[in-house]
Amino acid sequence: MSKTFDIVLERLTSGSGLPLDTGVGMQNASAELHAGLLGASRGTFFLETFGCQMNDHDSEKVAGVLLSRGYRQVESPESASLILYNTCSIREKAAQKVFSRLGEFGLHQNDGRIIGVLGCVAQQEGEEIFKRAPWVSLVCGSASYSKLPELLAQVEAGNQRVTGLDNDTDETFETPVTRRDNPWRAYLTIIEGCDKACSYCVVPYTRGPERSRASDSILREVRQLAELGYSEVQLLGQTVNSYKDPTARQMRFSDLLLAVADAPGIRRVRFTTSHPRDFTQDIVDAIDAQPKLCNHVHLPVQSGSTRVLQAMQRTYSREEYLEKIAMIRGAKRSISITTDIIVGFPGEAEEDLEETLSLLDAVRYDGVFAFKYSPRPHTPSLKMRDTIPEEEKSRRLAVLQEKQREIQTVKHSSLVGETFELLVGGKSRRENQWSGHTSCHRVINFASQEQALLGKYVQVSVTGGTPTGLVGEQTL
Ligand code: SAM
Ligand code: SF4
């Protein structure tokens, strides 16, 4: 399916303040799309997103579909005729959030508003959601977003119980329109679902089996994004480096990275999340060969103990993981490494935690996302005994975070005096204060007398660091 009109639409509707682009691809838009654009207004929608970057990007697709149907986006649920929650179920707290949001609407059940639950909780709970919150009329998992126009038509026609819950379709990449939130950096999902079977993780259940998007379709969209002024693309997937090109071209993931970087106008290419088992030398070689590939790898380890890794079914040992780290450290340019860690997995002993702490010393990560283990439905670890009390999980999390804080304090102070190229993405309310990302994915807040810096690349020299961030000033 051609997506040439997607980005024109997002420029028309994003309110980004950029000039309207009436050129590229508009002639390809369907009559239905025009009808939507030309204001056959159906009402207003409010869309709240929970969870990861893949969910953020899914919401961009959902917003695109709604805007093309003539809906207008509003900032609060109170002023919306259609209220949608794009949900996350990776940890229990995240899943609970949506039920507390839904509870807020129980009081207004008959006021005519349509309420929908999208994403992982929708997929996980399915029609149960109608029982828990009878005022919900749409339940739709991420693989069914391309069907949203039909599902919405059913809801608009008065159907009170509409579901889209297939989760093994490869139509998942192709929603008719996408409305991106950020005018300079574009997310692009290249692989959906997950075929790994980590014992704690609900993703294979909620997002279904692995499906990779055709390389020619990815590259076509990247070229269109570049033509519209996007200079950074971030390729997304739960295990992005497990990408398998379904076309006869059979591009390797590393070849795809290089091809994306070759698109004229693209200055930076990121990818997340990489699975250690599929992280291979050719990816490091590609980063070495092409400076546009960002020097950052997010490589979740989950635990430093081989015993726990086995119980987690992570498919690698501590030693094998450290070999991958050595491979990355062996690159010609310095590549920053971040990770995810779970503490308090069933059966994790004090010695296992010690091993995770010693892994932090061995790798010296640039950033760590640490989580307390949360038992999830439909996962093998739900049946494991030896559960660890909540207070003990909190203690372990605090110990781990303190250790990483010390490592970052040293790392950040060693960066003072260094100069980085930043893509400026934020402007502070404070006069002359901006923020941006380095290629290695560090955020630097910096001072500059210049005005219109958003979306520009600037050189910034680091003048100070805290455990959590860096400050600097623009160099001329
Ligand atoms: N696919 C990625 C990988 O394999 O590393 C991770 C995707 S998951 C959305 C993001 C992180 O959530 C995981 O790396 C893990 O640390 C954490 N996570 C997943 N399931 C969890 C659970 N049941 N309890 C706590 N944290 C969990
Ligand atoms: Fe979940 Fe493991 Fe798949 Fe990551 S690799 S999404 S943690 S099952």
Side-chain angles (χ1 to χ4, degrees):
M1 184 198 301
S2 165
K3 290 181 64 120
T4 42
F5 52 79
D6 292 8
I7 301 131
V8 175
L9 179 75
E10 78 190 56
R11 281 291 198 248
L12 286 168
T13 53
S14 67
S16 62
L18 293 161
L20 293 186
D21 183 343
T22 49
V24 194
M26 201 51 200
Q27 57 276 27
N28 294 331
S30 66
E32 188 188 354
L33 180 60
H34 279 296
L37 274 175
L38 297 175
S41 180
R42 281 190 158 86
T44 49
F45 74 96
F46 169 78
L47 173 58
E48 184 172 0
T49 309
F50 302 89
C52 62
Q53 287 154 323
M54 290 193 72
N55 268 14
D56 287 338
H57 183 40
D58 284 345
S59 283
E60 293 178 335
K61 294 182 193 172
V62 170
V65 169
L66 290 169
L67 291 162
S68 73
R69 283 182 68 75
Y71 282 91
R72 188 166 55 81
Q73 189 160 11
V74 292
E75 296 291 317
S76 75
E78 287 73 27
S79 43
S81 56
L82 171 63
I83 299 165
L84 296 174
Y85 294 109
N86 186 5
T87 59
C88 168
S89 64
I90 199 81
R91 282 169 291 277
E92 195 184 355
K93 257 197 189 149
Q96 274 168 356
K97 257 188 211 159
V98 69
F99 285 106
S100 84
R101 287 284 196 285
L102 290 175
E104 291 162 19
F105 288 98
L107 301 173
H108 310 278
Q109 330 190 7
N110 294 320
D111 68 2
R113 284 188 283 184
I114 297 170
I115 300 179
V117 178
L118 312 177
C120 293
V121 174
Q123 198 70 51
Q124 180 185 296
E125 301 290 326
E127 301 196 1
E128 277 299 305
I129 293 176
F130 296 135
K131 289 191 195 144
R132 280 182 76 170
W135 46 94
V136 169
S137 38
L138 173 67
V139 172
C140 177
S142 60
S144 301
Y145 292 159
S146 59
K147 295 198 194 104
L148 261 181
E150 299 147 46
L151 300 176
L152 279 170
Q154 291 177 39
V155 176
E156 287 161 359
N159 190 338
Q160 296 292 308
R161 297 277 181 272
V162 177
T163 55
L165 293 169
D166 296 342
N167 76 350
D168 58 355
T169 160
D170 56 7
E171 283 165 27
T172 172
F173 303 112
E174 307 279 351
T175 46
V177 278
T178 299
R179 199 273 294 123
R180 288 188 163 81
D181 292 334
N182 183 315
W184 310 289
R185 186 206 55 218
Y187 290 137
L188 215 71
T189 301
I190 65 161
I191 173 169
E192 252 296 353
C194 182
D195 279 351
K196 312 283 186 293
C198 304
S199 59
Y200 51 82
C201 184
V202 74
V203 168
Y205 182 84
T206 54
R207 286 192 175 261
E210 237 168 60
R211 290 93 75 201
S212 292
R213 180 174 173 179
S215 55
D216 50 354
S217 154
I218 296 169
L219 293 171
R220 194 167 53 239
E221 188 167 354
V222 169
R223 284 192 294 272
Q224 289 162 357
L225 289 166
E227 278 169 20
L228 287 159
Y230 290 91
S231 63
E232 181 175 310
V233 287
Q234 180 157 356
L235 306 183
L236 298 179
Q238 291 296 344
T239 53
V240 72
N241 58 326
S242 309
Y243 175 80
K244 283 188 198 65
D245 185 4
T247 68
R249 217 168 162 191
Q250 295 197 336
M251 272 187 139
R252 290 185 304 177
F253 175 65
S254 55
D255 295 330
L256 179 71
L257 288 176
L258 291 168
V260 169
D262 267 348
I266 294 298
R267 285 182 66 160
R268 282 183 177 180
V269 182
R270 300 187 183 283
F271 55 93
T272 196
T273 295
S274 295
H275 191 282
R277 196 193 69 187
D278 298 335
F279 200 88
T280 44
Q281 182 65 47
D282 55 309
I283 302 174
V284 177
D285 294 343
I287 296 174
D288 264 341
Q290 172 52 279
K292 290 182 190 176
L293 299 185
C294 289
N295 52 344
H296 169 227
V297 173
H298 184 60
L299 199 68
V301 65
Q302 312 300 357
S303 170
S305 151
T306 296
R307 204 179 67 83
V308 174
L309 288 172
Q310 274 169 356
M312 289 177 162
Q313 295 172 196
R314 278 296 284 183
T315 71
Y316 53 84
S317 64
R318 173 192 174 99
E319 289 67 36
E320 283 162 343
Y321 180 86
L322 284 171
E323 281 168 21
K324 304 288 178 172
I325 296 294
M327 189 193 282
I328 299 170
R329 295 278 185 239
K332 293 191 204 91
R333 42 179 186 139
S334 161
I335 297 176
S336 78
I337 306 176
T338 53
T339 201
D340 293 347
I341 291 177
I342 297 176
V343 295
F345 187 76
E348 183 191 65
E350 194 60 39
E351 305 86 84
D352 297 311
L353 179 69
E354 286 303 323
E355 291 215 48
T356 300
L357 297 174
S358 78
L359 187 92
L360 293 194
D361 276 330
V363 180
R364 300 190 67 74
Y365 289 107
D366 295 278
V368 170
F369 299 88
F371 311 102
K372 292 189 274 183
Y373 167 72
S374 169
R376 306 308 299 127
H378 315 288
T379 60
S381 65
L382 199 59
K383 296 192 190 84
M384 291 180 189
R385 290 190 308 193
D386 295 334
T387 51
I388 295 172
E390 204 50 36
E391 318 79 74
E392 177 56 16
K393 284 187 201 164
S394 301
R395 186 194 68 81
R396 293 183 190 186
L397 184 69
V399 170
L400 186 96
Q401 286 173 331
E402 183 50 36
K403 172 108 202 154
Q404 180 58 23
R405 202 179 154 82
E406 285 162 18
I407 291 171
Q408 282 179 208
T409 306
V410 176
K411 281 207 160 207
H412 286 178
S413 53
S414 75
L415 295 174
V416 173
E418 281 199 33
T419 298
F420 292 93
E421 184 186 69
L422 299 194
L423 168 57
V424 183
K427 182 177 185 338
S428 162
R429 268 190 229 118
R430 283 172 42 216
E431 189 78 356
N432 304 326
Q433 290 293 319
W434 306 80
S435 74
H437 276 88
T438 63
S439 166
C440 57
H441 215 233
R442 289 196 169 89
V443 177
I444 307 183
N445 296 316
F446 68 98
S448 169
Q449 300 302 321
E450 283 188 42
Q451 296 307 308
L453 280 184
L454 287 175
K456 299 221 167 104
Y457 288 82
V458 297
Q459 298 292 319
V460 168
S461 157
V462 176
T463 54
T466 64
T468 50
L470 293 169
V471 291
E473 56 193 29
Q474 187 180 2
T475 60
L476 296 174

